[in-house]
Amino acid sequence: MAKRILVTGVGGAPGFDLARSLQRLGCKVLAADADPHAAGLLLPEVTAHLLPPAADAAYRAAMLRLCAKARPDAVLSTVERELPRLIALRRPLADLGVTTWLPTREAATACGDKARFAAVLGDHQVPTPRTVLPDELDRASDGLLVVKPRYGQGAEGVHVCQTREQARVLCELVPAPVVQEHVSGREFTADCLVDRAGRASVILRYRLLVKGGLAVVSRTFADPEAAECVRATLTATGVTGACCVQGFVRDEEGPERVVITEANARVGGGFPASVAAGADYVGQYLRGLFHQDVDHDRLKYKPDVTLTKYVETLATSEGAAR
């Protein structure tokens, strides 16, 4: 019998593409989002559901009510800020027969809090940009600086400036900011799958064209040093399951040629590039989700495979919106 999978966050690229990929593998997809206009709710043959935002007090009851009624076999979240809520719901969901594959609370915090992430990588000697809080600006690096929200992913609220004085002004405008040294080089994402025993497969892709924080043109590549740095990041944070790590490969050789900037404890928005390069990424994710052995040989990939994403018209309708 086809598995019934609840995918949350189908308004974003990770959830939208994950829902489609699961459908191709024969799964029955229950698509959920907090936005009634989320594109993934309009995918053919999905069952669409609205959920409150993760920060809403009604989220817990709504998620349990949905799972009790719809009876999914598993839930896969693609919303970073939703993970702590689902971690707290792990036991009630299991009691409803819903399988999850979630990070520990510590791993979710390490990936979701950029200040904590920088501290964790520093403790494990993994190269990462120097990161300070607003009251520590005197310790910021000289040269270009990046001011960004401490929590959340994507390009929203990210600003580049040239001086500490400019950074101080931006810190007044950006919610819960951190300040990082600016890193230059070739930006990349690693699509990762860490099995329940801790073994990780890493698929590297350059972010050749980025719009709104999403790599719309990606090209896979091979780089043992970058792969090793990504694995060190996964070990440091303790994240498992499907996740992604971002960083830069500097043009010059040196002890910090690869610098890690971020990790997300969920599927990355550009993972279809890894699939196009031959990795059975979603198929093996499903195996691990249902406590089967992950076949890491099926996660090998070809370098120099380029994938270009585009905007498509998914549906049209007439009449007033409800």
Side-chain angles (χ1 to χ4, degrees), residues 92-152:
L93 288 172
D95 291 341
L96 290 171
V98 181
T99 297
T100 58
W101 193 3
L102 296 164
T104 63
R105 193 175 299 278
E106 294 76 14
T109 299
C111 293
D113 179 340
K114 293 180 178 61
R116 178 62 184 155
F117 182 73
V120 168
L121 264 59
D123 289 344
H124 288 79
Q125 290 79 52
V126 180
T128 192
R130 184 182 300 174
T131 301
V132 299
L133 297 174
D135 60 357
E136 304 169 320
L137 259 173
D138 289 340
R139 295 172 42 209
S141 305
D142 293 325
L144 288 178
L145 297 170
V146 178
V147 180
K148 61 176 67 172
R150 180 172 177 174
Y151 306 100

Side-chain angles (χ1 to χ4, degrees), residues 272-315:
S274 295
V275 175
D280 181 29
Y281 190 65
V282 179
Q284 296 307 310
Y285 185 17
L286 272 181
R287 288 184 61 85
L289 174 64
F290 290 106
H291 296 270
Q292 297 176 295
D293 291 338
V294 171
D295 184 351
H296 289 273
D297 286 339
R298 297 285 305 278
L299 290 164
K300 294 178 179 177
Y301 69 100
K302 298 177 182 177
D304 299 322
V305 173
T306 301
L307 182 137
T308 301
K309 297 179 71 70
Y310 66 100
V311 177
E312 62 179 298
T313 300
L314 183 63

